[in-house]
Amino acid sequence: VFVYSPGILKLYINGNSNPSASLSIQLMDVSNTLKIGTKYSAGSGGFIGVMDEIGIWNRSLSASEIADIYGQF
């Protein structure tokens, strides 16, 4: 799970926060189409594999909400 709060992107693995993976970022222009598993620019090199249980929320989830969602699967 990736959680974006203004300026910070956090990574959760198996429902647990991974603080070493948190970093400061700037979001791209939201007027573009959202692409999951592909490169932003044209060309090859997209994700090869399987993605399961993808969800997008309109707010940052708390650590306990992420743990609850993870526990459902």
CSV table of all heavy atoms in Angstrom, one decimal:
chain,number,residue,atom,x,y,z
A,1,VAL,N,0.9,-1.2,0.0
A,1,VAL,CA,0.0,0.0,0.0
A,1,VAL,C,0.9,1.2,0.0
A,1,VAL,O,1.9,1.3,0.8
A,1,VAL,CB,-0.9,0.0,1.2
A,1,VAL,CG1,-1.7,1.3,1.3
A,1,VAL,CG2,-1.9,-1.1,1.3
A,2,PHE,N,0.6,2.2,-0.9
A,2,PHE,CA,1.2,3.5,-0.8
A,2,PHE,C,0.2,4.5,-0.3
A,2,PHE,O,-1.0,4.5,-0.7
A,2,PHE,CB,1.6,3.9,-2.2
A,2,PHE,CG,2.9,3.2,-2.7
A,2,PHE,CD1,2.7,2.2,-3.6
A,2,PHE,CD2,4.1,3.6,-2.3
A,2,PHE,CE1,3.9,1.5,-4.1
A,2,PHE,CE2,5.2,2.9,-2.8
A,2,PHE,CZ,5.1,1.9,-3.7
A,3,VAL,N,0.6,5.3,0.6
A,3,VAL,CA,-0.3,6.4,1.2
A,3,VAL,C,0.4,7.7,0.9
A,3,VAL,O,1.5,7.9,1.3
A,3,VAL,CB,-0.6,6.2,2.7
A,3,VAL,CG1,-1.4,7.3,3.2
A,3,VAL,CG2,-1.3,4.8,2.9
A,4,TYR,N,-0.3,8.6,0.3
A,4,TYR,CA,0.2,10.0,0.0
A,4,TYR,C,-0.5,10.9,1.0
A,4,TYR,O,-1.7,11.0,1.0
A,4,TYR,CB,0.0,10.4,-1.4
A,4,TYR,CG,0.5,11.8,-1.7
A,4,TYR,CD1,1.8,12.1,-1.8
A,4,TYR,CD2,-0.4,12.8,-1.7
A,4,TYR,CE1,2.3,13.4,-2.0
A,4,TYR,CE2,0.0,14.1,-1.9
A,4,TYR,CZ,1.3,14.4,-2.1
A,4,TYR,OH,1.8,15.7,-2.3
A,5,SER,N,0.3,11.6,1.7
A,5,SER,CA,-0.1,12.8,2.5
A,5,SER,C,0.7,14.0,2.0
A,5,SER,O,1.8,13.7,1.5
A,5,SER,CB,0.1,12.6,4.0
A,5,SER,OG,-0.6,11.6,4.5
A,6,PRO,N,0.2,15.2,2.0
A,6,PRO,CA,0.9,16.3,1.3
A,6,PRO,C,2.4,16.2,1.5
A,6,PRO,O,2.9,16.4,2.6
A,6,PRO,CB,0.3,17.5,1.9
A,6,PRO,CG,-1.1,17.1,2.2
A,6,PRO,CD,-1.0,15.6,2.7
A,7,GLY,N,3.1,15.9,0.4
A,7,GLY,CA,4.6,15.9,0.3
A,7,GLY,C,5.2,14.6,0.8
A,7,GLY,O,6.4,14.5,0.6
A,8,ILE,N,4.5,13.7,1.3
A,8,ILE,CA,5.1,12.4,1.8
A,8,ILE,C,4.4,11.2,1.3
A,8,ILE,O,3.2,11.1,1.3
A,8,ILE,CB,5.0,12.3,3.4
A,8,ILE,CG1,5.7,13.5,4.0
A,8,ILE,CG2,5.6,11.0,3.9
A,8,ILE,CD1,7.2,13.5,3.9
A,9,LEU,N,5.2,10.2,0.8
A,9,LEU,CA,4.6,9.0,0.3
A,9,LEU,C,5.1,7.9,1.2
A,9,LEU,O,6.3,7.7,1.4
A,9,LEU,CB,5.1,8.7,-1.1
A,9,LEU,CG,4.6,7.4,-1.8
A,9,LEU,CD1,3.1,7.6,-2.1
A,9,LEU,CD2,5.4,7.2,-3.1
A,10,LYS,N,4.2,7.1,1.8
A,10,LYS,CA,4.6,6.1,2.8
A,10,LYS,C,4.2,4.7,2.1
A,10,LYS,O,3.2,4.6,1.4
A,10,LYS,CB,3.8,6.2,4.1
A,10,LYS,CG,4.2,7.4,4.9
A,10,LYS,CD,3.4,7.4,6.2
A,10,LYS,CE,3.8,8.7,7.0
A,10,LYS,NZ,3.1,8.8,8.2
A,11,LEU,N,5.0,3.7,2.4
A,11,LEU,CA,4.9,2.4,1.9
A,11,LEU,C,4.5,1.4,3.1
A,11,LEU,O,5.2,1.5,4.1
A,11,LEU,CB,6.1,1.9,1.2
A,11,LEU,CG,6.2,0.4,0.8
A,11,LEU,CD1,5.1,0.1,-0.2
A,11,LEU,CD2,7.5,0.0,0.3
A,12,TYR,N,3.5,0.6,2.9
A,12,TYR,CA,3.1,-0.4,3.8
A,12,TYR,C,3.2,-1.8,3.1
A,12,TYR,O,2.8,-1.9,2.0
A,12,TYR,CB,1.6,-0.2,4.3
A,12,TYR,CG,1.4,0.9,5.2
A,12,TYR,CD1,1.4,2.2,4.7
A,12,TYR,CD2,1.3,0.8,6.6
A,12,TYR,CE1,1.2,3.3,5.6
A,12,TYR,CE2,1.1,1.8,7.4
A,12,TYR,CZ,1.0,3.1,6.9
A,12,TYR,OH,0.8,4.2,7.7
A,13,ILE,N,3.9,-2.7,3.8
A,13,ILE,CA,4.0,-4.1,3.3
A,13,ILE,C,3.4,-5.0,4.2
A,13,ILE,O,3.7,-5.0,5.4
A,13,ILE,CB,5.5,-4.4,3.1
A,13,ILE,CG1,6.2,-3.4,2.1
A,13,ILE,CG2,5.7,-5.8,2.6
A,13,ILE,CD1,7.7,-3.5,2.0
A,14,ASN,N,2.5,-5.8,3.7
A,14,ASN,CA,1.7,-6.8,4.5
A,14,ASN,C,1.0,-6.1,5.7
A,14,ASN,O,1.0,-6.6,6.8
A,14,ASN,CB,2.6,-7.9,5.0
A,14,ASN,CG,3.2,-8.8,3.9
A,14,ASN,OD1,2.5,-8.9,2.8
A,14,ASN,ND2,4.3,-9.3,4.0
A,15,GLY,N,0.5,-4.9,5.5
A,15,GLY,CA,-0.2,-4.2,6.5
A,15,GLY,C,0.7,-3.4,7.5
A,15,GLY,O,0.1,-2.8,8.4
A,16,ASN,N,2.0,-3.5,7.3
A,16,ASN,CA,2.9,-2.9,8.3
A,16,ASN,C,3.7,-1.7,7.6
A,16,ASN,O,4.1,-1.9,6.5
A,16,ASN,CB,3.9,-3.9,8.8
A,16,ASN,CG,3.2,-5.0,9.6
A,16,ASN,OD1,2.4,-4.7,10.5
A,16,ASN,ND2,3.5,-6.2,9.2
A,17,SER,N,3.8,-0.6,8.3
A,17,SER,CA,4.5,0.5,7.8
A,17,SER,C,6.0,0.2,7.6
A,17,SER,O,6.6,-0.5,8.4
A,17,SER,CB,4.4,1.7,8.7
A,17,SER,OG,5.2,2.8,8.3
A,18,ASN,N,6.6,0.7,6.5
A,18,ASN,CA,8.0,0.5,6.2
A,18,ASN,C,8.6,1.9,6.2
A,18,ASN,O,8.7,2.5,5.1
A,18,ASN,CB,8.2,-0.2,4.9
A,18,ASN,CG,9.6,-0.5,4.6
A,18,ASN,OD1,10.5,0.0,5.2
A,18,ASN,ND2,9.8,-1.4,3.6
A,19,PRO,N,9.1,2.4,7.4
A,19,PRO,CA,9.5,3.8,7.4
A,19,PRO,C,10.7,4.1,6.6
A,19,PRO,O,10.9,5.2,6.1
A,19,PRO,CB,9.8,4.0,8.9
A,19,PRO,CG,9.8,2.7,9.6
A,19,PRO,CD,9.1,1.7,8.6
A,20,SER,N,11.5,3.1,6.3
A,20,SER,CA,12.7,3.4,5.4
A,20,SER,C,12.3,3.6,4.0
A,20,SER,O,13.1,4.1,3.2
A,20,SER,CB,13.7,2.2,5.5
A,20,SER,OG,13.1,1.0,4.9
A,21,ALA,N,11.0,3.3,3.6
A,21,ALA,CA,10.6,3.6,2.3
A,21,ALA,C,9.8,4.9,2.1
A,21,ALA,O,9.3,5.2,1.0
A,21,ALA,CB,9.7,2.4,1.8
A,22,SER,N,9.6,5.6,3.2
A,22,SER,CA,8.9,6.9,3.1
A,22,SER,C,9.8,8.0,2.4
A,22,SER,O,11.0,8.0,2.7
A,22,SER,CB,8.5,7.4,4.5
A,22,SER,OG,7.6,6.5,5.0
A,23,LEU,N,9.2,8.8,1.5
A,23,LEU,CA,10.0,9.8,0.8
A,23,LEU,C,9.2,11.0,0.5
A,23,LEU,O,8.0,10.9,0.4
A,23,LEU,CB,10.7,9.2,-0.4
A,23,LEU,CG,9.8,8.4,-1.4
A,23,LEU,CD1,9.6,9.1,-2.7
A,23,LEU,CD2,10.6,7.1,-1.6
A,24,SER,N,9.8,12.1,0.3
A,24,SER,CA,9.2,13.3,-0.1
A,24,SER,C,9.0,13.3,-1.6
A,24,SER,O,9.9,13.0,-2.4
A,24,SER,CB,10.0,14.5,0.3
A,24,SER,OG,10.1,14.6,1.7
A,25,ILE,N,7.8,13.6,-2.1
A,25,ILE,CA,7.5,13.6,-3.5
A,25,ILE,C,6.7,14.8,-3.9
A,25,ILE,O,6.0,15.5,-3.1
A,25,ILE,CB,6.8,12.3,-4.0
A,25,ILE,CG1,5.4,12.3,-3.4
A,25,ILE,CG2,7.6,11.1,-3.7
A,25,ILE,CD1,4.5,11.3,-4.0
A,26,GLN,N,6.6,15.1,-5.2
A,26,GLN,CA,5.7,16.1,-5.8
A,26,GLN,C,4.8,15.3,-6.7
A,26,GLN,O,5.3,14.6,-7.6
A,26,GLN,CB,6.5,17.1,-6.5
A,26,GLN,CG,5.7,18.3,-7.0
A,26,GLN,CD,5.5,19.3,-5.9
A,26,GLN,OE1,6.1,19.3,-4.9
A,26,GLN,NE2,4.5,20.2,-6.1
A,27,LEU,N,3.5,15.4,-6.6
A,27,LEU,CA,2.6,14.7,-7.5
A,27,LEU,C,2.6,15.3,-8.8
A,27,LEU,O,2.8,16.5,-9.0
A,27,LEU,CB,1.1,14.8,-6.9
A,27,LEU,CG,0.9,13.9,-5.7
A,27,LEU,CD1,-0.6,14.0,-5.3
A,27,LEU,CD2,1.2,12.5,-5.9
A,28,MET,N,2.3,14.5,-9.8
A,28,MET,CA,2.2,14.9,-11.2
A,28,MET,C,0.9,15.6,-11.4
A,28,MET,O,0.0,15.5,-10.6
A,28,MET,CB,2.4,13.7,-12.2
A,28,MET,CG,3.7,13.1,-12.1
A,28,MET,SD,4.0,11.9,-13.4
A,28,MET,CE,2.7,10.7,-13.1
A,29,ASP,N,0.8,16.3,-12.6
A,29,ASP,CA,-0.5,16.9,-13.0
A,29,ASP,C,-1.6,15.9,-13.0
A,29,ASP,O,-1.6,14.9,-13.7
A,29,ASP,CB,-0.2,17.5,-14.3
A,29,ASP,CG,-1.4,18.3,-14.9
A,29,ASP,OD1,-2.5,18.3,-14.2
A,29,ASP,OD2,-1.3,18.8,-16.0
A,30,VAL,N,-2.7,16.2,-12.2
A,30,VAL,CA,-3.8,15.3,-12.1
A,30,VAL,C,-4.8,15.3,-13.3
A,30,VAL,O,-5.7,14.6,-13.3
A,30,VAL,CB,-4.6,15.5,-10.8
A,30,VAL,CG1,-3.7,15.1,-9.6
A,30,VAL,CG2,-5.1,16.9,-10.7
A,31,SER,N,-4.5,16.2,-14.3
A,31,SER,CA,-5.3,16.3,-15.4
A,31,SER,C,-5.0,15.1,-16.4
A,31,SER,O,-5.8,14.9,-17.4
A,31,SER,CB,-5.2,17.6,-16.1
A,31,SER,OG,-3.9,17.8,-16.6
A,32,ASN,N,-3.9,14.4,-16.2
A,32,ASN,CA,-3.6,13.3,-17.1
A,32,ASN,C,-4.3,12.0,-16.6
A,32,ASN,O,-4.7,11.9,-15.5
A,32,ASN,CB,-2.1,13.1,-17.0
A,32,ASN,CG,-1.3,14.2,-17.7
A,32,ASN,OD1,-1.7,14.7,-18.8
A,32,ASN,ND2,-0.2,14.6,-17.2
A,33,THR,N,-4.4,11.1,-17.5
A,33,THR,CA,-5.0,9.8,-17.2
A,33,THR,C,-4.1,9.0,-16.2
A,33,THR,O,-2.9,8.9,-16.4
A,33,THR,CB,-5.1,9.0,-18.5
A,33,THR,OG1,-5.9,9.7,-19.5
A,33,THR,CG2,-5.8,7.6,-18.3
A,34,LEU,N,-4.8,8.4,-15.2
A,34,LEU,CA,-4.1,7.6,-14.3
A,34,LEU,C,-3.7,6.2,-14.9
A,34,LEU,O,-4.6,5.6,-15.5
A,34,LEU,CB,-4.9,7.3,-13.0
A,34,LEU,CG,-4.4,6.3,-12.0
A,34,LEU,CD1,-3.1,6.8,-11.4
A,34,LEU,CD2,-5.4,6.0,-11.0
A,35,LYS,N,-2.5,5.8,-14.9
A,35,LYS,CA,-2.0,4.6,-15.4
A,35,LYS,C,-1.4,3.8,-14.3
A,35,LYS,O,-0.5,4.3,-13.6
A,35,LYS,CB,-1.0,4.8,-16.6
A,35,LYS,CG,-1.6,5.6,-17.7
A,35,LYS,CD,-0.6,5.8,-18.8
A,35,LYS,CE,-1.1,6.6,-19.9
A,35,LYS,NZ,-0.2,6.8,-21.0
A,36,ILE,N,-1.8,2.5,-14.2
A,36,ILE,CA,-1.2,1.6,-13.2
A,36,ILE,C,-0.5,0.5,-13.9
A,36,ILE,O,-1.2,-0.2,-14.7
A,36,ILE,CB,-2.3,1.1,-12.2
A,36,ILE,CG1,-3.0,2.3,-11.5
A,36,ILE,CG2,-1.8,0.1,-11.2
A,36,ILE,CD1,-4.2,1.9,-10.6
A,37,GLY,N,0.7,0.3,-13.6
A,37,GLY,CA,1.5,-0.8,-14.2
A,37,GLY,C,2.1,-0.5,-15.5
A,37,GLY,O,2.6,-1.4,-16.2
A,38,THR,N,2.1,0.8,-15.9
A,38,THR,CA,2.7,1.2,-17.2
A,38,THR,C,3.6,2.4,-17.0
A,38,THR,O,3.4,3.1,-16.0
A,38,THR,CB,1.7,1.4,-18.3
A,38,THR,OG1,2.3,1.7,-19.5
A,38,THR,CG2,0.8,2.6,-17.9
A,39,LYS,N,4.5,2.6,-17.9
A,39,LYS,CA,5.3,3.8,-17.8
A,39,LYS,C,4.5,5.0,-18.1
A,39,LYS,O,3.6,5.0,-18.9
A,39,LYS,CB,6.5,3.7,-18.8
A,39,LYS,CG,7.5,2.6,-18.4
A,39,LYS,CD,8.5,2.4,-19.5
A,39,LYS,CE,9.5,3.6,-19.5
A,39,LYS,NZ,10.6,3.4,-20.4
A,40,TYR,N,4.9,6.2,-17.5
A,40,TYR,CA,4.2,7.4,-17.8
A,40,TYR,C,4.4,7.9,-19.2
A,40,TYR,O,3.5,8.3,-19.9
A,40,TYR,CB,4.7,8.5,-16.8
A,40,TYR,CG,4.0,9.8,-17.0
A,40,TYR,CD1,2.6,10.0,-16.6
A,40,TYR,CD2,4.7,10.9,-17.5
A,40,TYR,CE1,2.0,11.2,-16.8
A,40,TYR,CE2,4.1,12.1,-17.7
A,40,TYR,CZ,2.7,12.3,-17.4
A,40,TYR,OH,2.1,13.5,-17.5
A,41,SER,N,5.6,7.7,-19.7
A,41,SER,CA,5.9,8.1,-21.1
A,41,SER,C,5.7,6.9,-22.0
A,41,SER,O,5.6,5.8,-21.6
A,41,SER,CB,7.4,8.6,-21.1
A,41,SER,OG,8.3,7.6,-20.7
A,42,ALA,N,5.7,7.2,-23.3
A,42,ALA,CA,5.5,6.1,-24.3
A,42,ALA,C,6.7,5.2,-24.3
A,42,ALA,O,7.8,5.5,-23.9
A,42,ALA,CB,5.4,6.7,-25.6
A,43,GLY,N,6.5,4.0,-24.7
A,43,GLY,CA,7.6,3.0,-24.8
A,43,GLY,C,7.3,1.7,-24.0
A,43,GLY,O,6.2,1.6,-23.4
A,44,SER,N,8.2,0.8,-24.1
A,44,SER,CA,8.0,-0.5,-23.3
A,44,SER,C,8.6,-0.3,-21.9
A,44,SER,O,9.1,0.7,-21.5
A,44,SER,CB,8.7,-1.6,-24.1
A,44,SER,OG,10.1,-1.3,-24.1
A,45,GLY,N,8.5,-1.4,-21.1
A,45,GLY,CA,9.0,-1.4,-19.8
A,45,GLY,C,8.0,-1.3,-18.7
A,45,GLY,O,8.3,-1.0,-17.6
A,46,GLY,N,6.7,-1.6,-19.0
A,46,GLY,CA,5.7,-1.6,-18.0
A,46,GLY,C,5.8,-2.8,-17.1
A,46,GLY,O,6.7,-3.7,-17.2
A,47,PHE,N,4.9,-2.9,-16.1
A,47,PHE,CA,4.9,-4.0,-15.1
A,47,PHE,C,4.5,-5.3,-15.7
A,47,PHE,O,3.6,-5.3,-16.5
A,47,PHE,CB,3.9,-3.6,-14.0
A,47,PHE,CG,3.7,-4.7,-13.0
A,47,PHE,CD1,4.7,-4.8,-11.9
A,47,PHE,CD2,2.7,-5.5,-13.0
A,47,PHE,CE1,4.5,-5.8,-11.0
A,47,PHE,CE2,2.5,-6.5,-12.0
A,47,PHE,CZ,3.4,-6.6,-11.0
A,48,ILE,N,5.3,-6.3,-15.5
A,48,ILE,CA,5.0,-7.7,-15.9
A,48,ILE,C,4.7,-8.5,-14.7
A,48,ILE,O,5.5,-8.7,-13.8
A,48,ILE,CB,6.2,-8.3,-16.7
A,48,ILE,CG1,6.5,-7.4,-17.9
A,48,ILE,CG2,5.9,-9.7,-17.1
A,48,ILE,CD1,7.7,-7.8,-18.7
A,49,GLY,N,3.5,-8.9,-14.6
A,49,GLY,CA,3.1,-9.7,-13.4
A,49,GLY,C,1.6,-9.6,-13.2
A,49,GLY,O,0.8,-9.2,-14.1
A,50,VAL,N,1.2,-9.8,-11.9
A,50,VAL,CA,-0.3,-9.8,-11.6
A,50,VAL,C,-0.5,-8.8,-10.5
A,50,VAL,O,0.3,-8.8,-9.5
A,50,VAL,CB,-0.7,-11.2,-11.1
A,50,VAL,CG1,-2.2,-11.1,-10.7
A,50,VAL,CG2,-0.6,-12.2,-12.3
A,51,MET,N,-1.5,-7.9,-10.6
A,51,MET,CA,-1.8,-7.0,-9.5
A,51,MET,C,-3.2,-7.5,-9.0
A,51,MET,O,-4.1,-7.8,-9.8
A,51,MET,CB,-1.9,-5.6,-10.0
A,51,MET,CG,-0.6,-5.0,-10.4
A,51,MET,SD,-0.8,-3.3,-10.7
A,51,MET,CE,0.7,-3.0,-11.7
A,52,ASP,N,-3.4,-7.5,-7.7
A,52,ASP,CA,-4.6,-7.9,-7.1
A,52,ASP,C,-5.1,-7.0,-6.0
A,52,ASP,O,-4.2,-6.4,-5.3
A,52,ASP,CB,-4.4,-9.3,-6.5
A,52,ASP,CG,-5.7,-10.0,-6.1
A,52,ASP,OD1,-6.7,-9.7,-6.6
A,52,ASP,OD2,-5.6,-10.9,-5.2
A,53,GLU,N,-6.4,-6.8,-5.9
A,53,GLU,CA,-6.9,-6.0,-4.8
A,53,GLU,C,-6.5,-4.5,-4.9
A,53,GLU,O,-6.0,-3.9,-3.9
A,53,GLU,CB,-6.7,-6.6,-3.4
A,53,GLU,CG,-7.0,-8.0,-3.2
A,53,GLU,CD,-8.5,-8.3,-3.5
A,53,GLU,OE1,-9.3,-7.4,-3.4
A,53,GLU,OE2,-8.8,-9.4,-3.8
A,54,ILE,N,-6.6,-3.9,-6.0
A,54,ILE,CA,-6.2,-2.5,-6.2
A,54,ILE,C,-7.4,-1.6,-5.7
A,54,ILE,O,-8.5,-1.9,-6.0
A,54,ILE,CB,-5.9,-2.2,-7.7
A,54,ILE,CG1,-4.6,-3.0,-8.1
A,54,ILE,CG2,-5.7,-0.7,-7.9
A,54,ILE,CD1,-4.3,-2.9,-9.5
A,55,GLY,N,-7.0,-0.6,-4.9
A,55,GLY,CA,-8.0,0.3,-4.5
A,55,GLY,C,-7.5,1.7,-4.5
A,55,GLY,O,-6.3,1.9,-4.3
A,56,ILE,N,-8.3,2.7,-4.7
A,56,ILE,CA,-7.9,4.1,-4.7
A,56,ILE,C,-8.9,4.9,-3.9
A,56,ILE,O,-10.2,4.8,-4.1
A,56,ILE,CB,-7.9,4.7,-6.1
A,56,ILE,CG1,-6.9,3.9,-7.0
A,56,ILE,CG2,-7.6,6.2,-6.1
A,56,ILE,CD1,-6.9,4.3,-8.4
A,57,TRP,N,-8.4,5.6,-2.9
A,57,TRP,CA,-9.3,6.4,-2.0
A,57,TRP,C,-9.0,7.9,-2.2
A,57,TRP,O,-8.0,8.2,-2.7
A,57,TRP,CB,-9.0,6.1,-0.5
A,57,TRP,CG,-9.5,4.7,-0.1
A,57,TRP,CD1,-10.6,4.6,0.7
A,57,TRP,CD2,-9.0,3.4,-0.4
A,57,TRP,NE1,-10.9,3.2,0.9
A,57,TRP,CE2,-9.9,2.5,0.3
A,57,TRP,CE3,-8.0,2.9,-1.1
A,57,TRP,CZ2,-9.7,1.1,0.2
A,57,TRP,CZ3,-7.8,1.6,-1.2
A,57,TRP,CH2,-8.7,0.7,-0.5
A,58,ASN,N,-10.0,8.7,-1.9
A,58,ASN,CA,-9.8,10.1,-2.1
A,58,ASN,C,-9.3,10.8,-0.8
A,58,ASN,O,-9.4,12.0,-0.7
A,58,ASN,CB,-11.2,10.8,-2.5
A,58,ASN,CG,-12.2,10.6,-1.4
A,58,ASN,OD1,-12.0,10.0,-0.4
A,58,ASN,ND2,-13.4,11.3,-1.6
A,59,ARG,N,-8.6,10.1,0.0
A,59,ARG,CA,-8.0,10.6,1.2
A,59,ARG,C,-6.9,9.6,1.7
A,59,ARG,O,-6.8,8.5,1.2
A,59,ARG,CB,-9.0,10.8,2.4
A,59,ARG,CG,-9.6,9.4,2.8
A,59,ARG,CD,-10.6,9.6,3.9
A,59,ARG,NE,-11.2,8.4,4.3
A,59,ARG,CZ,-10.7,7.5,5.1
A,59,ARG,NH1,-9.5,7.7,5.7
A,59,ARG,NH2,-11.3,6.4,5.4
A,60,SER,N,-6.0,10.1,2.5
A,60,SER,CA,-5.0,9.2,3.1
A,60,SER,C,-5.6,8.3,4.1
A,60,SER,O,-6.4,8.8,5.0
A,60,SER,CB,-3.9,10.1,3.8
A,60,SER,OG,-3.2,10.9,2.8
A,61,LEU,N,-5.3,7.1,4.1
A,61,LEU,CA,-5.7,6.1,5.1
A,61,LEU,C,-4.8,6.1,6.3
A,61,LEU,O,-3.6,6.3,6.1
A,61,LEU,CB,-5.8,4.7,4.5
A,61,LEU,CG,-6.8,4.5,3.3
A,61,LEU,CD1,-6.8,3.1,2.8
A,61,LEU,CD2,-8.2,5.0,3.7
A,62,SER,N,-5.3,5.8,7.5
A,62,SER,CA,-4.5,5.7,8.7
A,62,SER,C,-3.9,4.3,8.7
A,62,SER,O,-4.3,3.4,8.0
A,62,SER,CB,-5.4,5.9,9.9
A,62,SER,OG,-6.3,4.8,10.1
A,63,ALA,N,-2.9,4.2,9.6
A,63,ALA,CA,-2.2,2.9,9.7
A,63,ALA,C,-3.2,1.8,10.1
A,63,ALA,O,-3.2,0.6,9.7
A,63,ALA,CB,-1.1,3.0,10.7
A,64,SER,N,-4.1,2.1,11.0
A,64,SER,CA,-5.1,1.1,11.5
A,64,SER,C,-6.1,0.8,10.4
A,64,SER,O,-6.5,-0.4,10.3
A,64,SER,CB,-5.9,1.6,12.7
A,64,SER,OG,-6.6,2.8,12.5
A,65,GLU,N,-6.5,1.7,9.5
A,65,GLU,CA,-7.4,1.4,8.4
A,65,GLU,C,-6.7,0.5,7.4
A,65,GLU,O,-7.3,-0.5,6.9
A,65,GLU,CB,-7.8,2.7,7.7
A,65,GLU,CG,-8.8,3.5,8.5
A,65,GLU,CD,-9.0,4.9,7.8
A,65,GLU,OE1,-8.1,5.5,7.4
A,65,GLU,OE2,-10.2,5.2,7.8
A,66,ILE,N,-5.4,0.7,7.2
A,66,ILE,CA,-4.6,-0.2,6.3
A,66,ILE,C,-4.5,-1.6,6.9
A,66,ILE,O,-4.7,-2.6,6.2
A,66,ILE,CB,-3.2,0.4,6.0
A,66,ILE,CG1,-3.4,1.7,5.2
A,66,ILE,CG2,-2.3,-0.6,5.3
A,66,ILE,CD1,-2.2,2.5,5.0
A,67,ALA,N,-4.3,-1.7,8.2
A,67,ALA,CA,-4.2,-3.0,8.8
A,67,ALA,C,-5.5,-3.7,8.7
A,67,ALA,O,-5.6,-4.9,8.5
A,67,ALA,CB,-3.7,-2.8,10.3
A,68,ASP,N,-6.6,-3.0,8.9
A,68,ASP,CA,-8.0,-3.6,8.8
A,68,ASP,C,-8.2,-4.1,7.4
A,68,ASP,O,-8.7,-5.2,7.2
A,68,ASP,CB,-9.1,-2.6,9.2
A,68,ASP,CG,-9.1,-2.3,10.7
A,68,ASP,OD1,-8.5,-3.0,11.4
A,68,ASP,OD2,-9.7,-1.2,11.0
A,69,ILE,N,-7.9,-3.3,6.4
A,69,ILE,CA,-8.1,-3.7,5.0
A,69,ILE,C,-7.2,-5.0,4.7
A,69,ILE,O,-7.6,-5.9,4.1
A,69,ILE,CB,-7.8,-2.6,4.0
A,69,ILE,CG1,-8.9,-1.5,4.2
A,69,ILE,CG2,-7.7,-3.1,2.6
A,69,ILE,CD1,-8.5,-0.2,3.5
A,70,TYR,N,-5.9,-4.9,5.1
A,70,TYR,CA,-5.0,-6.0,4.9
A,70,TYR,C,-5.6,-7.3,5.5
A,70,TYR,O,-5.5,-8.4,5.0
A,70,TYR,CB,-3.6,-5.7,5.4
A,70,TYR,CG,-2.7,-6.9,5.2
A,70,TYR,CD1,-2.1,-7.1,3.9
A,70,TYR,CD2,-2.3,-7.7,6.3
A,70,TYR,CE1,-1.3,-8.2,3.7
A,70,TYR,CE2,-1.4,-8.7,6.1
A,70,TYR,CZ,-0.9,-9.0,4.8
A,70,TYR,OH,-0.1,-10.1,4.6
A,71,GLY,N,-6.2,-7.2,6.7
A,71,GLY,CA,-6.7,-8.3,7.4
A,71,GLY,C,-7.9,-9.0,6.7
A,71,GLY,O,-8.2,-10.1,7.0
A,72,GLN,N,-8.5,-8.3,5.8
A,72,GLN,CA,-9.7,-8.9,5.1
A,72,GLN,C,-9.3,-9.8,4.0
A,72,GLN,O,-10.1,-10.6,3.5
A,72,GLN,CB,-10.5,-7.7,4.4
A,72,GLN,CG,-11.1,-6.8,5.4
A,72,GLN,CD,-11.8,-5.6,4.8
A,72,GLN,OE1,-12.0,-5.6,3.5
A,72,GLN,NE2,-12.2,-4.6,5.5
A,73,PHE,N,-8.0,-9.9,3.6
A,73,PHE,CA,-7.6,-10.7,2.5
A,73,PHE,C,-6.7,-11.8,2.9
A,73,PHE,O,-5.9,-12.0,3.6
A,73,PHE,CB,-6.8,-9.8,1.4
A,73,PHE,CG,-7.7,-8.7,0.9
A,73,PHE,CD1,-7.6,-7.4,1.3
A,73,PHE,CD2,-8.7,-9.0,0.0
A,73,PHE,CE1,-8.4,-6.4,0.9
A,73,PHE,CE2,-9.5,-8.0,-0.5
A,73,PHE,CZ,-9.3,-6.7,-0.1
